[in-house]
Each structure stands twice: as structure tokens, then as C-alpha cells.
Amino acid sequence: MPDEGFLEQPGPAVCDPAETASKPTQAGRSGRVWTGLPLLLVGVSLLPLVRDPFYSDAEHLPYQDLARSPNPLLDPARTAIADIGPYIENQGTFRPLGRAFRAYATSWTVRIAEFSGLTPHVVWGLLRCLFGMAAAYGALLLARSFVEVGSYDAPNNDEPAGDRLILPICVAFSFGMIAAGLTGAPIFFPSSYLVVVLIIGASLRWIARPELWLSAPTLSPRHAARAVVSAAIGAALAAWGEVSAIAVPMVLFWAVVMLWVHRRDALRVLTSLGSICCGILVASFLLVTVVGRMAIGRACAAGGCYRYSEFGITSDTPSTLVTRLWSSVPPVRYLWAISNVRAYLSVVVLVVAVVIATAVTILVTRRQPGPPASAAGTDEDGRSSLRLTPATRPNVIPLVLAGAVLVVLSELVPALSVGFQQATGRVGMGQAWRNSALSAAGWALVMTAIWLLVAPRVSRTVRRVMLVGIAAMWALVPVTNAAFAAWSASSTSGRVNAAIGRAFVSSGGAQDANCGLIREWARLPPSAGGSADPDDRFTFMSTRLNGARQSLGLPDFCPAAGGAGLGTSDAGPAAPSSPG
């Protein structure tokens, strides 16, 4: 494949899919030994947030989910299914899969905390690191899908082009993991809003395999099974939550890119197994979505439903979209995060950041496992030791386009949300929202493409200066997150919620003191919706804490609250509803 990029090509000659799909080499296998290590950069950037206490709905949902899950393996799924009707009727939301996964994650968080003696928010912080690494892997799947669509038929393509994306993708994705507000994906239910990046990336990867789009469909069990799984994926995307719907336009955009690359064989592509599976995925998604939205429309016709899940185009939509797009730019998000925790940033931590940046730069500039000798070397003018030849050169044009499309789609979610449009004045410029992990993935694709385009064309000195700046930007993420966690833990609500968590896992905690902690929590202003009456809040929280202890076979946390149960659903109006 010539160097000038796939958009200028008349379309590469089509090779045998079976032959191309079965060409692993020693270079490819050896590279995978260390491929997963850069994911730790994302985990390390989130690690300081283990000090961050629960906030908003997370103050009570871990205990509530455990209280409703005496059977840790089956009850979260059963409860999510039983809650489909009540949530549609009372809130106008349809997220059974997302809620089931959240219930598994939060209930097991409290179980692990009680077993280990760690406070629940610390266990949650450790799981957050895993969720962030999973999201980074999802961003890698997105990048690989768009890179390989153009290099699939490249001559001597012995090494998958996407294998060399992992380090830049993880570093760039880490930039979006900075704690820029309490409603961003790293803070607000990362089990849902970080993992969704992996879900979207895996869904795209299932469809985005060029060999499927160059293979004729048959009635074989293998092809039939792929069609069935495609239908299941489409339905699952509709049942996860509003943000997961972004997977469908990303799949369609990849199909357009694939069709353009192989436009000389357009008919073959359009009638291929991949095209049919893509159509089945989209159709099943639309079927479940339309049925769900019709039910929500009937239930919410008189109003009173969850405004953040109500979508509509209003006069505020364009301005909200522009604001959110600008807020998603990494430097803007950095400025917001740093300006709001600058009192907790000290000279010591900044020095540590410089040391980390220097160390990372030295490690990165050392010779790493590279491509075959035919694709590596040093140019005559001393430029990059990695020459992006057709065998290893990622196609930066589809990568840039995919990143831009993903950023716009992710920011359309808040721009079309009626509730968010009304709350725009309370969400500052640069402040993150629940879609921030997806916009971070989009910017990671764009920044990776820019790096791959620029780095091989500059001198080694310039490239090292660029690496110093990149490493410094990465180091600022864990430093700023540590400052954010210190600020959050020092707040009144943070101290009270952390104290409740410590008392919950303490084997010798005095029950009178436990009731006192709940009363202190009940007197705080609600961080989410729901009643502000201290008596209502006391009953609300103590019931959940007592139920969680009962699920673990332990005495009530606060017997003075009585033995009221949680019923079959928590979707009633008494339950707080988060502001984002």
C-alpha cells in the first residue's frame, strides 16, 4: 500500500482473507509479551483516587445493592430484570444491563471490603483502576479497528498495525482520566461510564474485521452463530444505557470507511457476512430501543420522569454542544481540574511529577521491541528509528476521523439531554460529565494519530522534547487526582461517608455511634435528589445499611432505625436521583 494514505488510493487489490488472517509472525508474538504493560499507566493515574469517598447516589447504592443481593451471583441480575417496569414508570429510564453490572460491582465492593477490612470506597477506588484499564483497552480496540481497515491488504503486512498503538493510546487516554469534577466518568460510577468504552470498542471489534467484509455469507453453523451474537450485541447495547448507543453510529462509520477503502469491490462488501452482521446488530438495537422509548414515552407523558434521560433538540442544544466540545479538549479539562484543587497541590508533589516525567521519558526513549528489520532503522538525517513503512504504518486519516466522530457523538449525549441543558449553568467549562471517558477515547485516537504522523518526520532531539512534554502531562494526572482526593476527603460529606464505611466494616463498632453517624449524614444537604428532611434521610440510609449487614449475616448497623425492608424496587420517588 503506498505511503500517501488510503483516501487517495483507488482501492487496494483484495487478497485471500483466510491467507491474510493466518499470518502471525515471531515479531507479532514477541511484541504481545509486553503489549499490556502500558495499560498500567492508566491504572496508576487513577490510583490516587482510592481516597475519594462516595458521592451522590454512590453514598447509598453500594449498601442498597448488597441489601437486595443476598445471593451474590444471581440476585443483581434478578433485581435488574424486576426493576425494568418500575424504572420505566417512575424515572423513564431503560438500563437493565447497566444496572445489573453496577449492582454486581457495588455489592461485591462492600463484600470485599467487609472481608478485607478496607473501607468500601477504598475497594471501589482499586476497582476504578481496573475499570480505567478496561476502558483504555476499549480505546485500543477502537483504534485498531480503524487502523487495520486500511492496512489489511498491505504488502508484507506481517505485523498487525494496531499492535504498535497500545503505548500512545494508553498515555493519551490517561489525559482524560484527570478528576475534573464530581460527575465525570472517573468519579461518578466508573463501573458504568468507564466500562462502556470497552463495551463500545468490543462491539465495534466484533463487526470491524475486514476479512468478514470480504467473505460471502453461508448457512454454516459458524456464520449463523455470528449472526445470532450480532443480534444479541445490538440488544445489549440498547439495554446498557444511553451512552452505549454511541456504538451503533461508530459501527456504521467504520462500515463507510471499509466501503470506501474497497470501493472497487463495493458489491462484494455490501453482500458480505460482515455487512449482514452489521445490519442485524443495528436492527436489533433499533428494535429494543424503539420498544423501550415507546414505553418511556407513555409513562412520562405527564412529566415527572428523570430529566437527564429525556432527549430533545431545543434552542439550547447548539450552544450546549459547542460548550461540551470545548470542555472535552484535554488542556481545558486540565485547567478546570487544577484550578479547583490548586490549594492541595504542593511543591513536593510537583517535584515528584517532574521526576516521574523524566523517568518515563528515559524509559520510553530507550530501545523497545520493534518491527522487523525491514521496517525499522534510522534515516540519513538522524530522524526516527521507526519508519512507518506500509507494513507497520498506521493509517492516520481514518484514526483522526474516527476520533473526531467519537468526540462529537459522546458530547451529543449531554447536548441532547433536556436535564443537562437546564443544568449547563451549574456545569463549568472544562468540567467532566458521565460521557467523559468516551470523549477521552476520541481525543486519544486523535492525539495518537498526530503523534504517528509527526514523530517520524522530526529530528530525534525534537521528538525527545515532545516526549518530555507528554510525560509531564501524564504525570500531572495522578498528581492532580491526588489533590482532588485530598479535597474530597476533607469535605464534611467526605469525612462522614468515609466514617460510615469504616464503621460498616468494623467488627466492634458501637451501634449507638453508628446511628450517630447516620444522623450526621442525614443533616447534610443532599448531594443528589430526594427528600431533604433529616428524618426521611435517616430512615433512607439506615434501612440500606441494615439490609446490607443482614445480607452478610451480620447484626444491624443501627437497630434504632427499625427493620423496614427495601421492597422489590428502589426506583420509587423516595430514592435520590443523581444530578448527572
Side-chain angles (χ1 to χ4, degrees):
M1 184 175 175
D3 265 352
E4 55 263 32
F6 84 91
L7 287 181
E8 287 75 25
Q9 302 307 308
V14 178
C15 62
D16 183 5
E19 178 183 353
T20 308
S22 58
K23 301 193 298 183
T25 65
Q26 183 63 33
R29 287 193 294 268
S30 63
R32 288 184 178 88
V33 174
W34 65 279
T35 291
L37 294 179
L39 293 172
L40 293 175
L41 291 173
V42 181
V44 171
S45 68
L46 292 169
L47 187 59
L49 292 174
V50 294
R51 291 187 58 198
D52 182 49
F54 289 139
Y55 164 77
S56 186
D57 287 352
E59 294 176 354
H60 66 87
L61 277 177
Y63 308 110
Q64 173 176 291
D65 289 335
L66 177 57
R68 304 180 68 202
S69 305
N71 184 326
L73 298 180
L74 299 178
D75 283 343
R78 290 171 178 166
T79 301
I81 294 173
D83 283 349
I84 291 177
Y87 267 112
I88 289 177
E89 294 293 330
N90 297 333
Q91 291 193 9
T93 57
F94 179 71
R95 309 170 186 167
L97 278 185
R99 288 194 172 97
F101 184 81
R102 182 212 72 200
Y104 278 111
T106 53
S107 61
W108 274 99
T109 292
V110 184
R111 289 180 184 276
I112 295 172
E114 196 278 330
F115 175 79
S116 64
L118 297 172
T119 53
H121 74 268
V122 171
V123 177
W124 189 242
L126 295 174
L127 290 177
R128 178 189 286 114
C129 298
L130 297 179
F131 296 146
M133 294 166 64
Y137 187 72
L140 174 66
L141 294 178
L142 288 165
R144 288 195 61 172
S145 297
F146 283 94
V147 162
E148 293 178 1
V149 68
S151 61
Y152 178 73
D153 290 319
N156 302 318
N157 188 17
D158 293 330
E159 181 189 21
D163 284 356
R164 304 194 61 81
L165 294 171
I166 180 70
L167 181 58
I169 284 289
C170 288
V171 172
F173 184 77
S174 296
F175 298 162
M177 294 298 98
I178 197 166
L182 292 165
T183 56
I187 305 298
F188 192 76
F189 288 111
S191 60
S192 298
Y193 299 120
L194 287 180
V195 175
V196 74
V197 183
L198 175 62
I199 291 172
I200 292 175
S203 301
L204 176 62
R205 192 67 178 160
W206 174 259
I207 295 294
R209 295 186 177 274
E211 64 269 21
L212 297 179
W213 292 72
L214 299 172
S215 303
T218 66
L219 297 177
S220 66
R222 184 178 179 181
H223 285 191
R226 179 165 282 274
V228 172
V229 173
S230 299
I233 290 174
L237 290 171
W240 181 271
E242 296 83 4
V243 180
S244 62
I246 292 174
V248 174
M250 290 302 295
V251 166
L252 293 175
F253 179 70
W254 187 92
V256 171
V257 174
M258 180 68 187
L259 186 61
W260 176 263
V261 172
H262 297 276
R263 53 193 178 277
R264 284 186 172 178
D265 295 281
L267 182 61
R268 180 182 182 184
V269 171
L270 290 173
T271 58
S272 65
L273 174 63
S275 179
I276 291 174
C277 290
C278 177
I280 292 174
L281 185 150
V282 173
S284 64
F285 170 83
L286 291 176
L287 177 63
V288 176
T289 299
V290 168
V291 172
R293 298 311 296 187
M294 288 177 61
I296 290 172
R298 289 194 298 268
C300 300
C305 285
Y306 187 50
R307 300 287 284 173
Y308 287 90
S309 292
E310 180 181 342
F311 293 97
I313 299 177
T314 68
S315 59
D316 294 326
T317 299
S319 60
T320 304
L321 177 60
V322 172
T323 300
R324 295 314 305 164
L325 287 173
W326 179 247
S327 296
S328 72
V329 179
V332 177
R333 192 155 288 171
Y334 267 60
L335 290 175
W336 191 96
I338 293 173
S339 65
N340 282 271
V341 297
R342 59 181 179 271
Y344 292 84
L345 289 171
S346 65
V347 175
V348 174
V349 295
L350 292 177
V351 170
V352 171
V354 173
V355 172
I356 294 174
T358 304
V360 171
T361 303
I362 293 173
L363 290 174
V364 170
T365 54
R366 290 173 65 90
R367 188 174 182 84
Q368 298 289 355
S374 62
T378 304
D379 292 339
E380 295 179 358
D381 59 356
R383 294 176 186 240
S384 174
S385 60
L386 171 61
R387 293 166 52 202
L388 298 179
T389 64
T392 59
R393 170 184 173 275
N395 293 275
V396 295
I397 295 177
L399 202 57
V400 169
L401 293 177
V405 169
L406 183 56
V407 170
V408 172
L409 289 173
S410 65
E411 297 303 335
L412 269 175
V413 175
L416 293 175
S417 168
V418 175
F420 189 88
Q421 293 171 19
Q422 297 171 350
T424 299
R426 296 190 287 112
V427 181
M429 180 72 71
Q431 187 173 353
W433 200 52
R434 63 177 63 170
N435 65 306
S436 60
L438 278 170
S439 60
W443 281 111
L445 268 60
V446 172
M447 289 186 285
T448 297
I450 294 173
W451 167 259
L452 294 171
L453 184 66
V454 173
R457 291 169 169 80
V458 298
S459 67
R460 185 173 300 176
T461 301
V462 173
R463 192 169 62 256
R464 285 179 174 173
V465 171
M466 293 170 62
L467 285 171
V468 170
I470 292 170
M473 281 190 67
W474 177 85
L476 271 177
V477 177
V479 167
T480 305
N481 285 349
F484 178 90
W487 164 80
S488 181
S490 66
S491 66
T492 303
S493 62
R495 289 197 304 269
V496 172
N497 281 297
I500 290 175
R502 285 191 296 270
F504 185 90
V505 299
S506 174
S507 58
Q511 292 177 332
D512 289 343
N514 295 344
C515 294
L517 288 173
I518 300 178
R519 290 190 182 92
E520 187 176 357
W521 178 87
R523 288 193 293 268
L524 295 174
S527 57
S531 173
D533 180 79
D535 292 336
D536 291 343
R537 282 170 57 78
F538 176 85
T539 302
F540 178 86
M541 190 63 161
S542 57
T543 301
R544 280 145 181 79
L545 289 165
N546 288 341
R549 296 274 292 184
Q550 291 165 12
S551 288
L552 295 172
L554 299 174
D556 283 356
F557 186 80
C558 174
L566 294 180
T568 59
S569 174
D570 62 308
S577 176
S578 76

